[in-house]
Amino acid sequence: MSAKPLLTGGCQCGAVRYALSAVPLRVTLCHCRMCQKASGAPFASLAEIAKNSFAWTRGKPSAFRSSSIAERDFCAKCGTPLSYRRIEGDSIEIMTGTFDRPDRLVPTLQFGTESRLGWVGSIAALPSKTTMQNYGPEKIAQVFSYQHPDHD
Ligand SMILES: [Zn+2]
Ligand SMILES: [Zn+2]
């Protein structure tokens, strides 16, 4: 991958990084029970990328074979879930929260809706605070992040 990548990302600790040379084929949400468990979250958000437009650029993830047809990659050092991947497939689906610019990955379709939790549709109406409002400036000044920055 010689040209400047279109999009980059990686795990929370930075041991595993990746780059894309083409825009994702599609971005989806998946509410299925396996994506809930694998993401540790109410649903997964995944960007599907052709394998020939994708490369791991630092480190290599570990994989868990979650079914007879698929594996899920994750960072063995920090535990960040990174992908869903069909063993026989020619694409990889990357968890959009791991992109350096997650705002660029806008979902257009939902799967696994038989397991979609009833409250998901109404989160925008919940009471809301920014991190600064939640912690306050004094407390937040004492916190140092060990998360890898959102760039290579
Ligand atoms: Zn990591
Ligand atoms: Zn799923």
Side-chain angles (χ1 to χ4, degrees):
M1 201 170 285
S2 51
K4 192 177 184 298
L6 269 183
L7 291 165
T8 54
C11 65
Q12 191 169 25
C13 80
V16 179
R17 298 281 299 164
Y18 59 80
L20 279 62
S21 59
V23 293
L25 304 169
R26 64 177 185 180
V27 181
T28 63
L29 302 178
C30 189
H31 302 271
C32 87
R33 186 62 193 128
M34 294 186 92
C35 284
Q36 289 174 343
K37 204 72 162 177
S39 63
F43 56 87
S45 177
L46 295 154
E48 184 176 14
I49 304 138
K51 275 185 180 165
N52 59 14
S53 307
F54 178 88
W56 300 109
T57 54
R58 187 198 299 163
K60 282 274 182 274
S62 292
F64 172 64
R65 187 162 186 178
S66 55
S67 76
S68 57
I69 60 167
E71 291 188 319
R72 291 171 188 264
D73 298 309
F74 63 96
C75 174
K77 287 196 175 140
C78 70
T80 301
L82 289 164
S83 90
Y84 167 89
R85 181 166 50 73
R86 293 254 185 152
I87 292 162
E88 305 285 330
D90 52 10
S91 65
I92 184 168
E93 299 192 39
I94 294 291
M95 300 287 281
T96 65
T98 67
F99 279 84
D100 294 331
R101 289 289 308 271
D103 58 304
R104 300 260 180 99
L105 294 307
V106 180
T108 56
L109 183 63
Q110 306 181 66
F111 292 121
T113 52
E114 71 284 351
S115 301
R116 185 170 57 197
L117 301 175
W119 52 262
V120 166
S122 54
I123 59 168
L126 294 175
S128 303
K129 287 183 177 183
T130 64
T131 305
M132 183 62 85
Q133 289 166 341
N134 186 27
Y135 279 74
E138 279 178 33
K139 210 173 191 181
I140 218 165
Q142 296 166 6
V143 177
F144 186 80
S145 170
Y146 300 123
Q147 178 164 293
H148 187 269
D150 282 327
H151 54 78
D152 286 317

